[in-house]
Amino acid sequence: MAIRIPVPASSTIVSRLAAIVGPEGVSVSDLDRLHYSRDMYPGTLILQSEGVRESFPDVVVWPENTEQVQQIVRFAAEQKMAVVPFGAGSGVCGGTTPVRGGIMLDMKRMSRVIEVNDDDLSVTAQPGIMGQNLENELERRGYTMGHFPSSIYCSTYGGWVATRSAGQLSSRYGKIEDMVLGCEFVTADGEIRRAPEAPGEALGPDWRQIMTGSEGTLGVLTEATCRIWPTPETRLFVAFTFPDVPAGVQAMRLVMRHGLRPAAMRLYDPLDTMMVGTKGAEEETSGVGIMDYVPLDAIGTKLRAMAPKIFRRAQRAVNRWADVGNKLEGLARQGCLMVLMFEGSDRLTRFEFDQTIRFCERLGGRNLGPEPALKWYRNRYHVSYKMIKVFYNQAFVDTIEVACSWDRVARLYKDVRDAIKTKAFIMAHFSHAYPDGCSIYFTFVGSAMNPRAAHALHQEVWRDAMDVTVRTRGTISHHHGVGLSKAEFMPRELGDGVKLLRALKNAFDPDDVMNPGKLGL
Amino acid sequence: MKRFKGNIELRHKLTDIFGPDRVREGALETLIYSHRPWTRSLLEMKAGRLPERLSFIVWPETVEEVSRLLRLANEWKVPVIPMGTGSHRRGAPAAPGGIACDMKRMKRLLSFDEDSMIVSAQAGMLIWELERTISRRGYTLGHVPPTAPSSTIGGAIATRQAGRLSARYGRIEEMIVSLQAVLPDGSIVKTRTAPRSATGPDLDHLLIGSEGALGIITRAKLRVALSPERRVFAAHAFSSFENGARALRLVVRAGLRPSGARLMDVDETRAAFRGTKTADEKCVLCLAFEGREERPGVEEEIAAEIGRKADGKALGEEPSRVTFERSYLDGFRRHHVLAETGGVADVMDFAAPWSRVGALYGAVRKALKDRAEIRTVLGHPTPNGASLSFFVTARAENGDATALFDALWADAQRAAGRGGGGVAHHFGGGAQYAARLFRRERIGRTVPAGEGRARPERDFESGPAERGERIAAGREATVSDLFTRYFKEIDYCTFCPKMCRFSCPVANVTGNETYTPWGRQTVLHLVREGHLPFNREAATAMYQCANCMLCREYCDYLVEVPPVMIAARAKAVEEKLAPHEVIEYRDFSRRKTIRTATTCGRACATWCRTRISRRTRKVVYFAGCSHLYHYPQAVQDTFRVFEAMRVDYVACHEGEAMCCGAPLRELGLEAPYKRKRGEARGGAVALQGDRVGQPAVRSRAADDLSGDGF
Ligand SMILES: Cc1cc2nc3c(=O)[nH]c(=O)nc-3n(C[C@H](O)[C@H](O)[C@H](O)COP(=O)(O)OP(=O)(O)OC[C@H]3O[C@@H](n4cnc5c(N)ncnc54)[C@H](O)[C@@H]3O)c2cc1C
Ligand SMILES: Cc1cc2nc3c(=O)[nH]c(=O)nc-3n(C[C@H](O)[C@H](O)[C@H](O)COP(=O)(O)OP(=O)(O)OC[C@H]3O[C@@H](n4cnc5c(N)ncnc54)[C@H](O)[C@@H]3O)c2cc1C
Ligand code: SF4
Ligand code: SF4
């Protein structure tokens, strides 16, 4: 079945757009429109080999400066065409799905670092710069932003701000919303706005916090200023095991509560611990764990290529993820691994490090030395590549990142796991902690006899997990955002707050031009 | 608006909601409720001009009552002004005839979750009350505005307060977990409760700082902290305000979080320490640290070290202790007294990023100094900026204090705008930051050996392993190889979240998803599965790869994109879908029976000379380590083609001197690595004029090099 790509935008529209950005900045080619029809939402990925794609943009546009963005947005409003801002498409909830077609606004040609200010410890850059390229630029000058999402290689600065992204070192540096000092955006009414208008201003509502996380539904981010830090002088590592999840969670809580700020503090549940391994040595599982256990994976490519369809079916038949999970649960006896990393100025870092070790030891943690933590650090981006193998082998993997206050963490963890574990293999780690609570990051792997059934199973897992989370009064997303896939849960997430969100949308974008269908709007 | 005053029907309606005891309309009360401790309104009162009265005052006790009030107000189109204690320093919203909604009877502590350190209280509770209650259990809100005894939680939030301890505990908005509020239409909303969330904009921020204009806050959940066990104080004197500001900036930059931080200029120093030795110093910086166990002491020692290095003179703890233990209300009382005697006094505060603090200080002082006495304090520092408070006192020559007041404010605000408070700090400067190869001005970062990115294992049985073979494979790729031999490569990229895309120069230059490794391979995947035709468009995409192999460096599975692209190009040529130059070149090379790789490059150069336009272009050619290593011949060929096309090029990788040696270190060969690195440094000097910034190689090398202060 060939993918049917609908007719593109008319030539009048293309020439109007070309008049704004030049002919090089517009494309209606089928391939381009195909590539902009999905982000990294696993729901779409499950159906990838079936050739299923639902929505396509009418045209892809690459603006080069704020004024061009403004003109495009004005043009779109006039035509009542949807505008979907696009970073790098690494979003995992369908945030860039062009549900109503329209203009796909790829920001990546706006990728300049505008200023690095040493006095203010701030960086101002355009939104289209790739995360790692921005961090490289900062690192070269002796700074760090401290924002290291696992997707740093494949996501943009603007995408981070638009989705309230969290990096792996958030316990020390905060989430992106804690870093944003200022931003410039073009709202749907075609105005260029800056927040704050004057730096440091504290009058009225904080528009930065409104734009941050708005996922392109209120406007297009065209520039952002974030705080940065001098490159840390010291980095220290240590790891512990705790007998069970509640004990580990307790330790995390006490560390945060006492004002200690490890750069990274990650607690793995027993299954995840088993996957990661508590040894430091490289020849151990190196964090691959279960995802490398794939039936029939060893079959050569040649064989696969000869009869791909039959092979896939065979592989689906032997994929039994929920069973594997349940069997392994009984075997997971290593307890819970916690890895810790501290960084910053020499003396203070060492001080916090020593104090944290004392805390953990007092709470029954077994000190494993630095090796397992170093191993985590070396492998910190590898997890992002794991999904490839899982999908390649006809299963699916997805992650659910919820958060709640400490009093409910243990319950939320247990309830979500209980709800899912009969359907898929599910494990979790706790990786973003705050004095008042933390996030739980579930990873689940599943499969079914055919892609359609897998898709249905995937949906079912999400629905159950979201249901439990809302009931336990956690938030349904700690850092991936809402996009399209979680839109249906927003009324329950926000309650009457939906009204405020609606009011915002109506104020900026009454015609629903900006990224329609997202955030439940 | 007058029509609401004494309106019997409105009074009845209000009484229906609140009962007779909680509705008042007495002349004195409504007048008092219209007044605020705003200098301007003091001056006006002094001159005999009274503010216009409100019509009613009500005291809700539940959120439902607030909701009913707002519904009623909507019906009647009567303004409602939420009130805490009315300590708002910048005046009340002008709403004569409106209803004051006094929140102070909604003052209960609702819950206190000590595990999560979250306290939930009604908006009318006094900050002070809250602090007293939780401190008995060993906690602190850490929010101490000068008016703490007389400001409510709701008022603090509605005005986005910053307390005296903000450098340590944050501003009030940083303490908010969630809010409950009644919107102007009477509906009750509650924002989500979570330590952090990514489900859309942070709606709390619509209410924070809204000064009652967007709704009435009825309840807040706030984060608290553990009570400090000890406090330490320290004062330092500096020769100038600038030096003091620099020292304070360095203190927060080092990650220290003083609970108190106050830098006084000469005038403030003299006034604040009148009668003591300290008054003779120039600018005094007072710092306080608090916390548990040894921490405050450690922080103070680090700060002292910074102070010393910034030419500060240590004054011991006394001046600082005195400063922080004194009530700020003293100053305010002085202002009142002054107003009584026909003067004008006020505090003007402006926030600025550090880079503008000096300019702001100068500009505001310059604008006012002829007419007023000004003392200045720098406070509320964060690593990114601070606030300047100007204590301004003046005497009206002609007796019109209000006019003087207005003029001073207007001038100060204008000056602040000029001085940096109002200028956005976003100047362009791309050229200034043109990349310089391998120039790193960092020192002293210690990175444990081998801490960088772990080396992935190649996951392919299909790809050629040896260097020589690799080139051959690229050249000899055939169409049939495309889908069988590269089956896995194609699928892996398709299912990949584009992990290598940031390194791909083609992806970076075009910004196009189709031209990422992921994009091109996805095309092939869909073609293979029969979902897409392999047409001219698809073929064209296959040419959008420079074969540089940078992507491989960031692929955990060491997928090699170029061989796949080369095979796909072969298919494109075979099906006559390739760009016409390519087809022509093929025919040309067939005529010449070119077989080997070496002759191929030479032939290509010959051909280019005849075919391609001779415009001169300046190009910096950076082959990339991987390319140089895996396809050295291709690099040589590129040089030939450049020459044939008369391209004016600079190559960063001529010879092997430019290899930074990072791979050697990864192999654990420390000595050869150091040697290589030395050579590279020499090479970098030679290349300084060129703009080369290849991120991938640099970051690869970065972890290794930084340890030695390279
Ligand atoms: C393997 C993998 C690992 C990940 N790890 C993390 C992680 O550790 N932490 C984390 O927080 N997230 C993670 N994510 C999720 C994802 O990377 C983030 O959501 C990221 O911020 C999205 O950035 P992007 O540039 O790819 O945005 P896109 O996916 O292109 O867009 C995301 C949303 O933002 C909007 N948007 C993008 N740019 C703009 C703009 N300039 N103006 C207005 N709206 C805009 C889009 O319309 C869309 O709604 C991961 C994803 C993957 C695939
Ligand atoms: C001597 C002095 C020094 C000061 N120093 C500082 C300082 O250092 N830092 C600082 O930040 N402030 C300072 N202030 C300002 C003052 O403390 C704040 O304005 C205070 O937060 C107001 O609190 P309140 O309860 O008195 O509110 P009010 O003055 O009653 O109200 C303030 C505003 O908030 C609105 N409001 C009140 N309650 C609610 C509610 N529940 N829902 C919605 N809106 C509401 C009101 O309508 C009004 O617009 C100072 C004031 C004085 C008099
Ligand atoms: S080369 Fe590797 S990292 Fe790049 S897209 Fe393919 S699988 Fe992903
Ligand atoms: S070889 Fe170079 S140009 Fe080709 S896909 Fe990889 S990084 Fe991009």
Side-chain angles (χ1 to χ4, degrees):
Chain A
M1 180 190 59
I3 298 180
R4 290 170 56 95
I5 303 175
V7 288
S10 72
S11 57
T12 344
I13 288 178
V14 172
S15 57
R16 292 275 305 270
L17 287 168
I20 301 171
V21 292
E24 294 283 298
V26 190
S27 168
V28 285
S29 94
D30 281 356
L31 270 196
D32 287 344
R33 292 190 300 126
L34 175 72
H35 280 94
Y36 285 87
S37 70
R38 82 161 168 99
D39 63 0
M40 290 302 150
Y41 173 49
T44 331
L45 207 49
I46 292 171
L47 299 175
Q48 166 89 356
S49 303
E50 298 289 288
V52 178
R53 290 288 175 86
E54 268 147 18
S55 13
F56 298 84
D58 299 328
V59 53
V60 186
V61 182
W62 290 267
E64 281 175 0
N65 55 48
T66 306
E67 288 66 35
Q68 289 182 358
V69 173
Q70 181 183 34
Q71 288 177 43
I72 295 165
V73 169
R74 284 190 175 158
F75 171 73
E78 171 199 311
Q79 304 280 324
K80 303 257 186 297
M81 264 180 111
V83 176
V84 182
F86 189 98
S90 74
V92 285
C93 8
T96 53
T97 316
V99 286
R100 255 184 31 214
I103 300 172
M104 188 59 76
L105 197 65
D106 188 333
M107 303 303 291
K108 280 193 296 293
R109 290 193 195 164
M110 289 177 65
S111 59
R112 235 161 20 97
V113 174
I114 295 168
E115 189 194 11
V116 177
N117 192 314
D118 180 68
D119 279 354
D120 302 343
L121 280 181
S122 70
V123 59
T124 302
Q126 291 182 314
I129 188 168
M130 297 299 301
Q132 182 67 37
N133 291 342
L134 175 62
E135 184 61 28
N136 281 342
E137 185 64 25
L138 289 172
E139 193 197 84
R140 209 173 52 78
R141 300 185 199 189
Y143 305 98
T144 177
M145 199 159 127
H147 191 68
F148 302 96
S150 330
S151 58
I152 189 165
Y153 292 171
C154 60
S155 54
T156 61
Y157 182 44
W160 293 347
V161 176
T163 58
R164 292 189 169 252
S165 158
Q168 294 173 343
L169 308 188
S170 72
S171 298
R172 175 176 177 81
Y173 296 102
K175 281 183 71 191
I176 196 82
E177 62 256 41
D178 302 311
M179 304 177 188
V180 179
L181 296 172
C183 57
E184 179 194 78
F185 47 96
V186 175
T187 42
D189 53 8
E191 295 298 319
I192 299 173
R193 296 170 196 272
R194 277 181 174 279
E197 274 171 45
E201 189 180 86
L203 293 174
D206 187 346
W207 292 107
R208 290 171 299 187
Q209 292 299 332
I210 303 298
M211 286 318 290
T212 308
S214 63
E215 302 191 12
T217 59
L218 301 177
V220 186
L221 185 79
T222 48
E223 193 182 295
T225 303
C226 277
R227 70 179 188 205
I228 55 178
W229 295 90
T231 309
E233 290 168 5
T234 306
R235 206 171 273 161
L236 300 166
F237 297 84
V238 67
F240 289 88
T241 44
F242 288 89
D244 51 20
V245 167
V249 167
Q250 178 78 345
M252 286 177 86
R253 185 173 71 79
L254 288 178
V255 167
M256 292 313 287
R257 178 185 177 88
H258 282 86
L260 303 169
R261 292 291 173 268
M265 176 162 59
R266 302 166 70 88
L267 176 74
Y268 299 85
D269 78 354
L271 274 182
D272 213 342
T273 300
M274 195 161 148
M275 298 310 134
V276 175
T278 52
K279 306 255 173 22
E282 213 51 59
E283 61 275 16
E284 287 292 313
T285 52
S286 75
V288 181
I290 191 74
M291 305 226 196
D292 270 355
Y293 162 73
V294 191
L296 305 189
D297 184 36
I299 303 283
T301 326
K302 287 245 162 59
L303 232 70
R304 261 179 215 259
M306 263 153 39
K309 298 233 158 78
I310 297 171
F311 183 82
R312 279 186 208 141
R313 217 168 305 140
Q315 201 162 32
R316 284 194 202 103
V318 291
N319 268 337
R320 286 261 180 276
W321 288 93
D323 298 350
V324 172
N326 288 329
K327 291 227 175 66
L328 285 180
E329 209 181 328
L331 299 175
R333 297 222 178 78
Q334 287 156 298
C336 296
L337 173 71
M338 181 196 279
V339 299
L340 286 153
M341 174 178 123
F342 282 77
E343 65 175 36
S345 59
D346 242 335
R347 184 145 175 225
L348 210 55
T349 306
R350 202 162 290 280
F351 177 80
E352 294 205 357
F353 183 70
D354 293 342
Q355 210 176 10
T356 305
I357 290 180
R358 280 203 301 279
F359 265 122
C360 289
E361 282 173 348
R362 207 185 317 141
L363 289 165
R366 194 161 62 83
N367 193 330
L368 303 178
E371 273 307 315
L374 267 164
K375 182 177 134 191
W376 161 74
Y377 187 67
R378 278 195 294 265
N379 290 298
R380 65 198 182 279
Y381 297 137
H382 287 337
V383 63
S384 299
Y385 297 82
K386 298 293 180 250
M387 63 184 276
I388 302 173
K389 280 191 110 175
V390 177
F391 280 93
Y392 179 66
N393 289 299
Q394 308 311 312
F396 62 81
V397 55
D398 200 350
T399 55
I400 302 175
E401 20 70 61
V402 298
C404 63
S405 51
W406 288 115
D407 57 329
R408 274 170 260 142
V409 171
R411 194 165 88 227
L412 183 57
Y413 164 72
K414 185 171 176 307
D415 290 355
V416 171
R417 253 188 63 81
D418 288 349
I420 309 305
K421 71 179 182 201
T422 53
K423 305 189 170 99
F425 172 81
I426 181 165
M427 56 188 186
H429 57 258
F430 305 74
S431 46
H432 305 272
Y434 308 92
D436 53 332
C438 79
S439 87
I440 314 177
Y441 192 92
F442 294 99
T443 303
F444 65 95
V445 188
S447 59
M449 284 311 286
N450 61 61
R452 302 269 169 186
H455 189 259
L457 175 64
H458 176 256
Q459 301 283 306
E460 194 182 318
V461 167
W462 267 104
R463 217 160 285 142
D464 290 349
M466 295 296 92
D467 196 56
V468 172
T469 307
V470 175
R471 265 191 283 122
T472 320
R473 283 182 291 140
T475 179
I476 59 172
S477 173
H478 172 265
H479 59 263
H480 284 165
V482 177
L484 195 58
S485 67
K486 291 174 219 167
E488 60 172 296
F489 309 108
M490 279 297 268
R492 293 179 64 197
E493 161 83 3
L494 294 186
D496 301 310
V498 165
K499 260 196 182 149
L500 284 174
L501 194 58
R502 231 321 111 221
L504 267 176
K505 178 77 173 173
N506 287 340
F508 286 112
D509 185 16
D511 293 331
D512 198 15
V513 167
M514 291 304 309
N515 207 0
K518 311 300 149 46
L519 283 184
L521 283 165
Chain B
M1 288 295 175
K2 281 207 163 31
R3 67 198 163 93
F4 300 120
K5 280 186 203 154
N7 186 310
I8 295 173
E9 201 188 334
L10 184 55
R11 186 197 317 144
H12 279 311
K13 296 253 172 178
L14 287 170
T15 317
D16 278 350
I17 303 174
F18 298 100
D21 294 344
R22 289 188 280 130
V23 181
R24 301 293 279 271
E25 54 179 323
L28 185 64
E29 276 163 307
T30 47
L31 176 67
I32 295 289
Y33 268 79
S34 311
H35 171 64
R36 293 286 182 281
W38 181 27
T39 308
R40 191 174 196 280
S41 78
L42 291 178
L43 296 172
E44 288 284 279
M45 290 248 272
K46 179 91 186 29
R49 291 186 288 270
L50 298 184
E52 197 159 356
R53 289 194 292 120
L54 295 155
S55 56
F56 292 93
I57 307 163
V58 297
W59 284 265
E61 282 176 355
T62 64
V63 58
E64 287 74 24
E65 286 177 358
V66 177
S67 166
R68 285 172 69 194
L69 170 69
L70 290 186
R71 281 180 213 281
L72 178 72
N74 268 308
E75 238 170 74
W76 279 70
K77 303 270 174 287
V78 51
V80 172
I81 299 126
M83 282 273 299
T85 55
S87 68
H88 200 327
R89 285 216 71 170
R90 301 282 176 250
I99 302 171
C101 174
D102 188 328
M103 302 298 292
K104 283 192 297 296
R105 291 211 190 165
M106 292 182 67
K107 57 171 187 195
R108 269 183 313 125
L109 186 93
L110 299 171
S111 68
F112 186 15
D113 169 3
E114 292 193 36
D115 276 355
S116 315
M117 301 205 289
I118 296 174
V119 61
S120 171
Q122 287 183 313
M125 188 173 199
L126 294 177
I127 301 260
W128 202 246
E129 228 7 86
L130 177 71
E131 183 70 26
R132 273 218 322 239
T133 316
I134 61 175
S135 70
R136 281 199 287 271
R137 289 158 72 172
Y139 298 87
T140 175
L141 183 60
H143 183 69
V144 188
T147 49
S150 71
S151 73
T152 59
I153 295 171
I157 295 171
T159 56
R160 205 179 269 285
Q161 255 183 7
R164 286 162 73 168
L165 311 180
S166 77
R168 177 168 180 82
Y169 297 98
R171 306 167 64 102
I172 190 84
E173 69 237 47
E174 288 158 63
M175 297 164 190
I176 294 168
V177 179
S178 89
L179 297 175
Q180 183 199 56
V182 181
L183 299 186
D185 67 356
S187 55
I188 301 168
V189 300
K190 216 169 64 200
T191 60
R192 70 199 151 200
T193 306
R196 288 289 189 287
S197 173
T199 53
D202 188 343
L203 299 170
D204 288 334
H205 279 275
L206 277 179
L207 297 160
I208 301 170
S210 69
E211 309 211 358
L214 298 178
I216 299 187
I217 299 160
T218 47
R219 186 203 288 176
K221 279 193 182 174
L222 302 167
R223 300 189 175 96
V224 302
L226 294 179
S227 298
E229 285 170 352
R230 69 188 66 169
R231 244 177 224 122
V232 298
F233 299 93
H236 305 264
F238 293 90
S239 55
S240 70
F241 196 62
E242 284 68 32
N243 283 351
R246 194 163 62 88
L248 182 53
R249 180 167 69 76
L250 293 177
V251 164
V252 277
R253 186 185 173 99
L256 304 179
R257 310 197 65 165
S259 55
R262 217 173 145 80
L263 173 71
M264 310 173 197
D265 73 349
V266 186
D267 304 306
E268 174 68 12
T269 300
R270 205 173 305 130
F273 298 107
R274 189 170 301 131
T276 69
K277 278 209 312 294
T278 317
D280 302 333
E281 300 293 345
K282 282 238 160 63
C283 294
V284 173
L285 171 64
C286 294
L287 291 172
F289 293 93
E290 64 182 43
R292 297 169 88 85
E293 297 178 33
E294 315 92 85
R295 181 163 186 132
V298 173
E299 291 203 32
E300 195 277 316
E301 282 169 33
I302 298 172
E305 180 66 33
I306 292 171
R308 231 186 341 271
K309 283 199 187 131
D311 287 336
K313 170 174 141 200
L315 299 179
E317 59 163 34
E318 205 43 33
S320 175
R321 182 191 298 281
V322 171
T323 301
F324 291 117
E325 287 179 353
R326 177 170 48 207
S327 162
Y328 285 36
L329 295 177
D330 277 356
F332 191 67
R333 256 174 244 127
R334 281 210 301 275
H335 286 190
H336 265 270
V337 173
L338 199 71
E340 289 300 314
T341 57
V344 168
D346 205 0
V347 189
M348 304 177 177
D349 58 318
F350 299 97
W354 285 110
S355 57
R356 307 254 177 264
V357 163
L360 180 63
Y361 175 66
V364 174
R365 283 177 55 85
K366 183 155 169 258
L368 305 183
K369 71 170 192 284
D370 295 339
R371 283 166 293 171
E373 251 180 60
I374 315 159
R375 296 177 283 116
T376 315
V377 169
L378 180 71
H380 300 299
T382 72
N384 316 102
S387 80
L388 277 170
S389 301
F390 299 94
F391 296 83
V392 179
T393 47
R395 208 161 277 281
E397 298 301 335
N398 56 7
D400 188 349
T402 314
L404 175 63
F405 176 86
D406 289 347
L408 288 174
W409 262 101
D411 291 348
Q413 272 165 334
R414 208 170 311 122
R418 250 182 285 118
V423 180
H425 59 319
H426 310 278
F427 294 120
Q432 195 181 331
Y433 300 118
R436 281 278 159 84
L437 186 67
F438 290 146
R439 273 196 133 187
R440 306 163 58 82
E441 278 145 314
R442 296 206 323 246
I443 31 160
R445 178 173 158 210
T446 55
V447 181
E451 183 202 292
R453 190 171 175 275
R455 245 193 119 61
E457 283 306 312
R458 188 165 160 81
D459 192 46
F460 286 85
E461 67 267 28
S462 57
E466 295 303 318
R467 189 175 170 196
E469 270 179 56
R470 232 185 278 281
I471 303 162
R475 302 283 179 201
E476 288 158 21
T478 60
V479 182
S480 65
D481 275 353
L482 179 56
F483 293 137
T484 48
R485 180 169 199 165
Y486 299 118
F487 186 91
K488 200 168 187 176
E489 275 88 343
I490 292 173
D491 270 19
Y492 268 37
C493 294
T494 304
F495 293 126
C496 178
K498 319 180 198 173
M499 291 304 287
C500 61
R501 74 102 61 225
F502 84 95
S503 69
C504 173
V506 178
N508 276 339
V509 168
T510 60
N512 189 332
E513 293 309 305
T514 313
Y515 302 153
T516 58
W518 166 85
R520 292 182 236 110
Q521 300 268 56
T522 300
V523 172
L524 293 177
H525 174 88
L526 293 173
V527 170
R528 192 189 73 203
E529 299 295 315
H531 302 311
L532 268 190
F534 192 72
N535 54 16
R536 190 167 292 277
E537 208 183 328
T540 310
M542 300 306 134
Y543 286 87
Q544 310 294 329
C545 164
N547 294 355
C548 69
M549 293 278 248
L550 278 178
C551 52
R552 182 181 183 276
E553 294 294 302
Y554 291 93
C555 179
D556 263 21
Y557 305 108
L558 301 182
V559 167
E560 291 179 357
V561 177
V564 189
M565 291 302 113
I566 289 168
R569 289 171 195 167
K571 182 176 165 70
V573 172
E574 188 166 280
E575 299 185 9
K576 295 226 175 344
L577 294 167
H580 67 94
E581 287 92 348
V582 176
I583 310 260
E584 284 168 32
Y585 173 67
R586 185 199 51 177
D587 296 344
F588 167 84
S589 61
R590 275 209 185 132
R591 277 200 307 283
K592 302 259 171 190
T593 56
I594 293 161
R595 285 270 173 264
T596 64
T598 337
T599 47
C600 174
R602 220 171 282 144
C604 181
T606 319
W607 182 75
C608 286
R609 209 166 288 141
T610 60
R611 298 282 318 188
I612 309 275
S613 86
R614 296 177 169 203
R615 212 150 30 97
T616 306
R617 300 182 190 90
K618 244 190 156 59
V619 166
V620 178
Y621 176 52
F622 180 72
C625 308
S626 310
H627 199 182
L628 207 62
Y629 178 74
H630 299 292
Y631 298 110
Q633 189 59 52
V635 178
Q636 291 304 321
D637 287 352
T638 308
F639 289 156
R640 286 207 183 89
V641 171
F642 276 164
E643 276 151 22
M645 292 168 68
R646 304 222 177 121
V647 168
D648 184 4
Y649 73 95
V650 188
C652 307
H653 270 272
E654 248 176 319
E656 291 194 11
M658 284 304 296
C659 175
C660 66
L664 293 170
R665 186 174 214 185
E666 293 213 10
L667 292 171
L669 303 169
E670 199 64 22
Y673 156 69
K674 288 226 164 100
R675 208 164 46 239
K676 201 78 208 151
R677 196 198 60 198
E679 287 169 22
R681 213 183 290 172
V685 175
L687 262 169
Q688 253 179 27
D690 305 314
R691 289 190 48 198
V692 251
Q694 192 40 261
V697 176
R698 211 177 41 230
S699 82
R700 213 53 227 232
D703 278 346
D704 301 303
L705 298 178
S706 56
D708 307 276
F710 182 68

